[in-house]
Amino acid sequence: MSSQDMTPAPAPGTPAPVAPPRPTGRLRRMLDSDIFYSWKRSPVTVIATFTALFLILMALMAPLIAPHDPFNPASLNLMDGFTPPASASAFSDNWFLMGADNQGRDVLSTIMYGSRVSLFVGFMATLFAVVMGMGLGLAAGYNGGMIDAVIMRVADIQLSFPAILIALLIFGVARGVIPANQQESMAIWVLILAIGLSNWAQFARTVRGATMVEREKDYVAAARIMGVHPVLILLRHILPNVLGPVLVIGTIGLALAIIEEATLSFLGVGVPPTQPSLGTLIRIGQQYLFSGEWWILFFPAMTLILLALSVNLLGDWLRDALNPKLR
Amino acid sequence: MLAFIIRRLAQSVLVMLFVALIAFVIFRYVGDPIASMVGVETRLEDQEIMRDRLGLNDPAVIQFLRFVGNAMQGEFGISYRLQQPVTELILSRLPATIELAFASAMIALVFGVVLGVFTALKPKSLLSGAVMSASLIGVSLPTFLIGIGLIYIFSVELGWLPSFGRGEVVDLGWWRTGLLTETGLKSLILPAITLSLFQLTLIMRLVRAEMLEVLRTEYIRFARARGLTQRAINFGHALKNTLVPVITITGLQLGSVIAFAIVTETVFQWPGVGSLFITSVQVVDVPVMAAYLMFIALVFVLINLVVDILYFVVDPRLRVDGGSSGK
């Protein structure tokens, strides 16, 4: 299915925005594709794309564009604490667009650095889940038999538990196993592992289903007769054809992973306090909800919502766009 | 029928054993049970004697069997942190969580069905559109942010409802209920709504999809041709047929409600099992973690079993292929 998506289908009525003399590869084909056409026609998706891109860019360039360095104790002034948004501190000449938190850190800058952590954990965890789920799914779908039964049973059991619970357990176990002096530096990787491990089953199930369909097709039989190694058949022939659905649940999985990370950090079991993510910032902000310092909570929360919502909308659109039944 | 139930039972036992294995590994190998029991001054020989007496030197299989045996008698050891039997701890926290879970399941069921029917019957109305978009946003919002938002509106700004705790409770034997006092009921409202929103949107979308499907069928058209009233058609014929999957999903979701309660309980400082689990993860209170895992697994397996059997009883089609396709 997705092999057809890749071919430069001449979408009727698509004005070619850029016209290089010859089809110079992927960009040209991408702009001509059905996918791009459906993207352009959905304003919500376009907005979601730009919001997501904006947030990702902001996170990536945080060290360059952040107005303050929130993690450099030398540049912090405790007297700046609780400065309201869009005002200067009463005690120093610092100006804060989104206010300052309890320690006098610029909220905007902590958000920039915080989304960096959130996005990093989200991406890595999703990548981990995709690679693991895809590997196991391919193995299960292609081989069948015992391997399939065992992998899918484990996936079934895991899928019946909420991901957050599994992530919490893995996190708790890792905390007990890792020596205390390394916990701080390992925390992010433990988190990635925990979130990744709690989400692989989804991918495994989808890939297994798609692989079982592809396995029966003639091109696989042909490859097998030609004596291609099974691993090569899986990677070079079957894998590209099952990538479509993986992309869809991967995008939605990214939104889920970001939320999961935020939830864990909010619960106080996520990233270390020295590297606050959006969830940690919300946890801090929640303490000042009753005393009226709303900005410490509000801005990180809005960023998280925008991030999760825009990625989610992208995933939804992708699912519809890649599903030929809905065209 | 009997064969089906026996097969399901066997599967449940297998799942429980698998979870027990994980719980056992956590229980036995995360941290050293002896180290957490003795002080610094206990001699190594004494530690060795203790190890022997507690059977920690026995083969792993024997230890595992002993663990399962103890677990079946509800014996999970003593919490490292609180120095109380774990089973007692969980049982004392259980009523709070169960009351919360049931309250939110009720909210989700009632509002989910009503909204689902409404959006299906009037798909073009403005209100339906609003409800559907709101549900999309609701799904992508993290639970804890919804909780914080509700606290902000109803506790901080309006001051109508308490933001934390259970209010006054009444002892009914070992069951400590908050449902009989005014403060208890008031305290229940916000957490229950928070916990219900996710299930609510799920049920709503499910009812809507099922209704739209059923309304297209021949027998609905026939009912129209017979001149039945709209109400009789919509509720007597259409809704009735959508309820089977709805009940299944609600039942299955009850388990994840209990697990999702972890987050809600933390936000509202609700003294339930979930917040017990969170603290045990934070301080690596291994016996509580292991016991909670077993407990949640038991809840899930029981619910799954009941729902499977119910489904089987309600839907005659499943009886033909022996119900092996399961869920």
Side-chain angles (χ1 to χ4, degrees):
Chain A
M1 156 208 140
S2 68
S3 69
Q4 281 158 8
D5 291 335
M6 292 315 214
T7 55
T14 317
V18 235
R22 57 199 161 81
T24 47
R26 282 168 195 274
L27 181 70
R28 177 83 182 79
R29 285 197 302 184
M30 214 174 82
L31 293 179
D32 247 359
S33 65
D34 288 356
I35 300 265
F36 186 69
Y37 180 67
S38 92
W39 179 80
K40 261 193 325 192
R41 289 215 6 203
S42 157
V44 175
T45 313
V46 174
I47 295 173
T49 312
F50 282 114
T51 312
L53 279 181
F54 173 75
L55 290 171
I56 291 172
L57 274 181
M58 189 184 81
L60 281 179
M61 306 204 305
L64 301 175
I65 56 173
H68 298 262
D69 182 358
F71 306 113
N72 179 5
S75 74
L76 289 181
N77 187 347
L78 267 183
M79 302 295 280
D80 290 345
F82 303 121
T83 310
S87 62
S89 161
F91 302 96
S92 65
D93 47 1
N94 288 331
W95 191 83
F96 300 104
L97 179 64
M98 292 185 181
D101 69 0
N102 53 330
Q103 301 176 42
R105 299 186 294 196
D106 175 36
V107 171
L108 177 62
S109 307
T110 53
I111 287 177
M112 286 178 171
Y113 282 94
S115 0
R116 220 172 141 84
V117 178
S118 288
L119 277 168
F120 178 72
V121 174
F123 268 115
M124 294 300 282
T126 311
L127 192 70
F128 184 89
V130 167
V131 171
M132 178 173 169
M134 219 154 61
L136 290 175
L138 281 173
Y142 192 74
N143 290 316
M146 260 315 269
I147 302 179
D148 182 36
V150 171
I151 294 178
M152 283 306 122
R153 238 3 4 201
V154 175
D156 277 352
I157 294 175
Q158 183 170 341
L159 273 178
S160 58
F161 294 95
I164 193 90
L165 181 69
I166 293 163
L168 271 171
L169 263 177
I170 297 170
F171 198 86
V173 170
R175 228 180 224 208
V177 173
I178 297 171
N181 55 358
Q182 284 172 21
Q183 269 179 9
E184 188 111 320
S185 55
M186 298 276 288
I188 283 211
W189 298 103
V190 170
L191 197 59
I192 289 170
L193 184 80
I195 298 176
L197 271 182
S198 66
N199 285 322
W200 68 273
Q202 209 84 303
F203 297 97
R205 207 182 238 191
T206 314
V207 169
R208 170 192 177 249
T211 307
M212 284 171 71
V213 174
E214 295 299 320
R215 184 181 63 178
E216 303 304 328
K217 291 195 177 159
D218 287 344
Y219 73 89
V220 175
R224 211 179 290 159
I225 292 167
M226 279 159 64
V228 182
H229 194 270
V231 174
L232 272 186
I233 295 181
L234 276 177
L235 293 183
R236 303 231 335 237
H237 299 268
I238 295 183
L239 182 66
N241 286 308
V242 300
L243 268 183
V246 170
L247 198 63
V248 173
I249 49 174
T251 315
I252 296 173
L254 174 64
L256 288 179
I258 290 174
I259 288 181
E260 210 176 318
E261 184 279 326
T263 307
L264 287 176
S265 295
F266 173 78
L267 294 175
V269 293
V271 294
T274 47
Q275 271 173 305
S277 72
L278 290 174
T280 325
L281 297 178
I282 293 169
R283 179 186 169 83
I284 298 171
Q286 193 209 5
Q287 297 160 8
Y288 302 100
L289 192 61
F290 280 92
S291 48
E293 284 93 12
W294 53 271
W295 58 90
I296 307 178
L297 172 73
F298 179 76
F299 292 115
M302 281 317 282
T303 315
L304 179 65
I305 292 174
L306 279 181
L307 193 60
L309 194 60
S310 59
V311 176
N312 231 335
L313 285 171
L314 274 182
D316 271 356
W317 161 76
L318 208 56
R319 180 178 51 203
D320 295 348
L322 289 182
N323 189 349
K325 276 188 219 145
L326 291 175
R327 287 236 181 94
Chain B
M1 175 75 190
L2 195 66
F4 170 77
I5 291 179
I6 289 174
R7 189 157 51 217
R8 270 280 178 261
L9 263 175
Q11 269 181 18
S12 310
V13 170
L14 238 119
V15 171
M16 280 314 286
L17 277 179
F18 180 74
V19 175
L21 183 65
I22 296 176
F24 167 71
V25 170
I26 295 174
F27 186 72
R28 176 65 189 83
Y29 298 104
V30 173
D32 184 357
I34 295 291
S36 61
M37 282 158 72
V38 300
V40 203
E41 285 162 13
T42 318
R43 287 181 308 151
L44 279 179
E45 298 89 70
D46 289 344
Q47 290 192 20
E48 213 36 56
I49 292 168
M50 270 178 88
R51 210 174 277 276
D52 242 14
R53 214 178 48 216
L54 291 173
L56 294 175
N57 287 334
D58 294 349
V61 181
I62 307 255
Q63 288 192 45
F64 176 58
L65 289 179
R66 200 181 297 138
F67 177 82
V68 172
N70 284 339
M72 283 205 285
Q73 295 162 25
E75 181 66 52
F76 285 99
I78 290 171
S79 158
Y80 292 167
R81 184 173 62 101
L82 298 163
Q83 303 298 330
Q84 278 176 37
V86 172
T87 317
E88 224 170 78
L89 266 177
I90 289 188
L91 280 183
S92 73
R93 299 283 199 115
L94 200 54
T97 298
I98 289 184
E99 280 175 10
L100 179 61
F102 268 98
S104 72
M106 282 297 120
I107 295 176
L109 200 58
V110 171
F111 284 90
V113 170
V114 169
L115 289 176
V117 168
F118 177 77
T119 48
L121 292 183
K122 297 209 161 56
K124 295 227 166 65
S125 97
L126 217 60
L127 194 58
S128 296
V131 169
M132 288 306 287
S133 352
S135 79
L136 185 69
I137 297 174
V139 170
S140 28
L141 278 189
T143 320
F144 65 97
L145 276 185
I146 293 172
I148 293 175
L150 287 177
I151 289 183
Y152 184 71
I153 297 173
F154 292 102
S155 303
V156 179
E157 287 296 317
L158 297 172
W160 290 350
L161 297 167
S163 65
F164 65 90
R166 265 186 102 187
E168 282 172 60
V169 288
V170 179
D171 278 332
L172 302 174
W174 63 274
W175 187 280
R176 187 171 279 191
T177 178
L179 297 178
L180 297 176
T181 60
E182 201 197 328
T183 53
L185 284 175
K186 267 186 165 178
S187 312
L188 184 63
I189 296 175
L190 287 187
I193 292 178
T194 308
L195 191 54
S196 72
L197 277 184
F198 187 78
Q199 329 290 334
L200 199 161
T201 45
L202 196 78
I203 292 175
M204 188 192 98
R205 283 170 170 263
L206 189 74
V207 170
R208 177 174 174 274
E210 291 280 332
M211 277 292 271
L212 286 176
E213 199 119 297
V214 172
L215 285 176
R216 272 200 293 266
T217 53
E218 292 290 324
Y219 71 86
I220 294 292
R221 201 182 299 169
F222 180 60
R224 288 223 176 90
R226 272 160 67 204
L228 296 182
T229 59
Q230 275 302 323
R231 176 191 299 205
I233 296 171
N234 290 340
F235 294 97
H237 294 244
L239 182 61
K240 225 184 202 170
N241 275 293
T242 65
L243 282 184
V244 179
V246 170
I247 290 169
T248 320
I249 296 284
T250 319
L252 288 177
Q253 289 291 322
L254 203 62
S256 43
V257 167
I258 290 182
F260 265 124
I262 297 172
V263 180
T264 313
E265 284 178 8
T266 311
V267 175
F268 290 95
Q269 296 166 42
W270 189 262
V273 193
S275 57
L276 177 74
F277 177 62
I278 272 290
T279 25
S280 75
V281 168
Q282 278 164 352
V283 301
V284 199
D285 194 343
V286 177
V288 179
M289 278 162 61
Y292 182 80
L293 178 64
M294 292 292 290
F295 162 71
I296 284 285
L298 185 68
V299 171
F300 271 89
V301 163
L302 282 183
I303 290 175
N304 263 310
L305 196 66
V306 170
V307 167
D308 269 343
I309 292 172
L310 266 186
Y311 210 42
F312 186 79
V313 171
V314 170
D315 193 341
R317 278 167 296 183
L318 269 179
R319 278 172 228 164
V320 180
D321 62 23
S324 58
S325 54
K327 75 172 203 192

